[in-house]
Amino acid sequence: MAATFTAFFVPGVKALCLRLGLIDSPDKRKQHRSPMVRLGGVAMIFGFCCALTITWLIGGFGLLPPLKDQLIWTTLAGGLCFFLIGLADDLFALPPFPRLIGQVSIAMAIWSQGLRIGAIEMPWLGEESSLMVLPPLLSLISTVIWLVGITNAINWLDGLDGLAAGVAGIAAIGLISVSFSLHQVAAGFLAAALAGCCLGFLRHNFNPARIFMGDGGSYFLGFTLAAISIIGPAKGLTTVSLLLPLLILSLPLADMSAVIMSRLREGRSPFHPDRSHIHHRLLRAGFSHRKTVLLLYAFTQWLGALALVVANAEMRFLWLTVATAILITAVLLSRKELIDSRKTNQPLNTTSPRVK
């Protein structure tokens, strides 16, 4: 449902934005050569909300205890608020610090509504002391860092056509499998709706893109992924449930960490835009736009399969074997294309990615 609704809403959003002049004009640091609509996140929000609303109307949420039901609506409210921050940035080009302050404030409000990292289970300490309850202040700090960090990691990954939507969609599919393997239906509902709106949007966003999701869309994706990983555990974040989202989202998290350290080492602000992200490096190495995106897709799905092994999911080793075969195939094909292009002295990449 989410994929169908999102794909259906995208043309309408694009037509409306073109009529209102809400477009992203090309310049020397952007990859597109004609005006592009960058408010595709609006369609993603509609698709996500419609899918969850219909699920609720047909009684799907009746499977959930009241607390989990509430957390779904809290996640939806938080996603909408993060989307509005990104939408304001798309329309008015907000400075980095006001955006960060807004994100932290919303994350704190979300924490106050019960969506929080409240405890961590450590079974190796013994049954009596296996659950380490976090003090309120530490719980607040951990939750805010988690929500804001993953949100910005996905946002910074949105530099190539289809990259953020594809990586987030694959990560959401991994969270679907993990959630139902751990019998966490609420997280599974949210992950399914998120995966659907990513896949529906990719129909219009894969290279060559006809619309961009904008910061509103990437903030929404990042926050929702972060929230799903907190909703899953029943009592607190177990060592397994803490490791799973870190595994699935390790690509954008590692990319963000490396970029921040690189900028700080060079004496620049962590928010200073440059071309040091992993997709920039692959493009500079000579990979084509599509091969770069597909290679990062392959790596993300392999990490998702690895998370299934950690979660002890059914047929986990079969999925890991398939994912490994896909990753190896993607690497070999990309390497072959790169070697062929160097032999003919024809660079594969002729476009400049969006700078984050």
Side-chain angles (χ1 to χ4, degrees):
M1 288 189 294
T4 302
F5 280 123
T6 302
F8 173 78
F9 285 128
V10 166
V13 171
K14 181 179 179 181
L16 180 61
C17 289
L18 289 174
R19 187 178 306 163
L20 298 177
L22 302 176
I23 57 176
D24 186 18
S25 300
D27 60 38
K28 62 181 181 180
R29 71 177 179 85
K30 297 175 182 176
Q31 69 177 30
H32 53 286
R33 297 294 175 260
S34 60
M36 292 283 290
V37 172
R38 60 175 302 177
L39 300 183
V42 175
M44 302 176 77
I45 285 282
F46 282 151
F48 185 83
C49 292
C50 287
L52 285 180
T53 301
I54 291 177
T55 303
W56 174 68
L57 290 174
I58 63 178
F61 289 6
L63 301 170
L64 306 176
L67 176 60
K68 294 294 184 179
D69 192 350
Q70 176 189 341
L71 290 180
I72 285 185
W73 300 116
T74 301
T75 299
L76 180 57
L80 289 172
C81 291
F82 268 79
F83 166 76
L84 290 176
I85 293 177
L87 180 63
D89 184 39
D90 291 327
L91 296 176
F92 307 111
L94 300 178
F97 283 105
R99 280 181 287 161
L100 183 61
I101 291 173
Q103 292 173 8
V104 171
S105 300
I106 294 170
M108 292 174 68
I110 292 297
W111 176 88
S112 70
Q113 296 301 308
L115 202 162
R116 63 180 65 178
I117 302 174
I120 300 177
E121 288 189 35
M122 295 180 291
W124 61 83
L125 296 179
E127 294 184 1
E128 295 183 357
S129 57
S130 63
L131 186 65
M132 183 179 72
V133 179
L134 301 180
L137 180 59
L138 185 56
S139 171
L140 174 62
I141 293 173
S142 302
T143 303
V144 170
I145 291 175
W146 184 264
L147 295 176
V148 174
I150 292 180
T151 297
N152 285 283
I154 296 297
N155 174 251
W156 285 10
L157 201 64
D158 184 27
L160 295 178
D161 295 351
L163 181 56
V167 169
I170 294 170
I173 291 172
L175 288 174
I176 294 171
S177 301
V178 168
S179 297
F180 283 106
S181 294
L182 298 175
H183 307 291
Q184 301 300 331
V185 182
F189 277 153
L190 288 167
L194 189 68
C197 70
C198 288
L199 296 177
F201 185 70
L202 271 178
R203 183 176 184 274
H204 305 273
N205 183 241
F206 192 72
N207 182 258
R210 299 185 293 278
I211 189 172
F212 297 152
M213 71 171 64
D215 286 345
S218 60
Y219 282 179
F220 165 71
L221 292 183
F223 171 82
T224 308
L225 282 172
I228 291 170
S229 63
I230 295 178
I231 289 175
K235 294 186 294 183
L237 282 180
T238 64
T239 51
V240 172
S241 60
L242 180 63
L243 180 60
L244 297 180
L246 286 175
L247 270 175
I248 296 172
L249 299 171
S250 57
L251 176 62
L253 289 173
D255 176 61
M256 182 180 70
S257 301
V259 168
I260 289 176
M261 295 303 297
S262 174
R263 292 172 182 175
L264 291 176
R265 187 169 57 249
E266 296 173 2
R268 294 182 286 121
S269 167
F271 304 104
H272 179 75
D274 58 20
R275 289 185 168 86
S276 59
H277 293 282
I278 185 172
H279 48 274
H280 296 121
R281 298 176 186 273
L282 290 173
L283 289 173
R284 285 197 298 271
F287 291 100
S288 67
H289 188 129
R290 285 196 173 191
K291 278 294 189 294
T292 297
V293 171
L294 292 174
L295 192 59
L296 294 176
Y297 283 0
F299 190 66
T300 303
Q301 59 89 34
W302 182 81
L303 291 170
L306 191 61
L308 293 180
V309 174
V310 175
N312 203 28
E314 293 183 9
M315 299 190 298
R316 54 195 177 279
F317 292 112
L318 172 61
W319 294 123
L320 181 61
T321 301
V322 172
T324 303
I326 293 174
L327 178 60
I328 292 174
T329 301
V331 170
L332 292 178
L333 290 177
S334 299
R335 184 173 180 273
K336 181 179 182 299
E337 183 185 52
L338 182 60
I339 293 174
D340 291 343
S341 68
R342 288 177 176 174
K343 286 181 180 179
T344 57
N345 294 320
Q346 294 180 353
L348 291 174
N349 177 49
T350 58
T351 60
S352 299
R354 299 188 291 282
V355 177
K356 290 278 187 179

